[in-house]
Amino acid sequence: MTEHSRRDAGQAFPIYIVMVAGLLFLAFAFFAVGQASATRNGAQGAADAAALAAAQEARDGLGVQLLPVLREPNGLNEFLATHEYFQAGRGKATQLAFDNRSDLIDFGWRTGYWQDKVTARIKTHYTVGESVIPGTEKTHATATATAVIKFRCSTKVQGLPDPADDEDEGDGGNDGDDKSGTPDLPILTLDCDGVEVPLDLGDHDLAAGLGKLLFDVQLIDD
């Protein structure tokens, strides 16, 4: 090898080292970005779970309140217009956030006619982790999610007569009242997503699944 060739090789070697170092830095930087993305995804999953769990628990608890409301004239419309959830479902949201290694840091309901929204904001227990980017080992992720409870029915036929009433009127009975003096409660038929759903308002067991029957729960972009 000539002296000129050796000199060229010696000059190229530092450039090669710099290029390799640059490529390694880029590789570690991309890895840090991947770590941050994974942390954000985990945070969003925790927020989604918290908001959805809160909405489901609040929805499932509506039945006991709804049954007496449905027995009142215009009671359903008044309920939909005025009902407030306050802190319903907060405990469930806190639990789901914790199960996903996060803390619930903000929670609240926004009420509206026909639908109500609950928003949960969480902060992860874990951090992005150590990387070539300074400070990531102390950086926690936060995320927000909103779920909606939406009334999915409309009143189609209200107060269908009970066949027993016709028999009572035919034989001069007690004007539709039973022997205890309690009037027969009507059948309320709702149209829920195109399906007729008859509700026997005299059935006390109806309350258990009433919220799930009449309301949908889903995550939304908000």
Side-chain angles (χ1 to χ4, degrees), residues 10-185:
Q11 291 174 345
F13 186 71
I15 297 174
Y16 173 77
I17 294 298
V18 171
M19 290 179 62
V20 170
L23 290 173
L24 286 174
F25 179 82
L26 286 174
F28 283 122
F30 280 122
F31 179 72
V33 171
Q35 285 179 295
S37 179
T39 304
R40 284 195 300 270
N41 289 340
Q44 191 60 58
D48 290 347
L52 197 59
Q56 288 173 338
E57 182 173 74
R59 184 272 311 272
D60 294 347
L62 288 175
V64 175
Q65 305 169 66
L66 276 171
L67 190 55
V69 163
L70 291 172
R71 293 169 176 168
E72 298 294 329
N74 202 41
L76 178 59
N77 287 332
E78 291 180 5
F79 179 87
L80 293 173
T82 62
H83 179 70
E84 295 187 20
Y85 290 88
F86 300 105
Q87 294 296 303
R90 187 183 187 110
K92 196 69 174 178
T94 300
Q95 177 188 329
L96 263 292
F98 186 81
D99 290 346
N100 286 278
R101 301 166 60 201
S102 304
D103 289 324
L104 184 70
I105 58 175
D106 196 16
F107 181 87
W109 285 90
R110 285 170 289 161
T111 57
Y113 196 69
W114 299 104
Q115 64 178 18
D116 301 278
K117 300 175 183 178
V118 59
T119 298
R121 183 170 178 80
I122 65 91
K123 180 179 179 180
T124 58
H125 294 163
Y126 52 92
T127 65
V128 173
E130 294 184 359
S131 72
V132 295
I133 301 174
T136 56
E137 69 278 2
K138 297 180 180 179
T139 302
H140 298 264
T142 60
T144 302
T146 299
V148 63
I149 299 178
K150 186 175 182 180
F151 186 64
R152 66 185 189 91
C153 306
S154 60
T155 304
K156 184 163 184 170
V157 182
Q158 186 164 1
L160 293 179
D162 190 321
D165 292 343
D166 294 335
E167 296 177 5
D168 291 339
E169 290 176 3
D171 60 13
N174 54 12
D175 296 328
D177 293 349
D178 60 20
K179 293 181 181 180
S180 66
T182 302
D184 292 326
L185 291 168

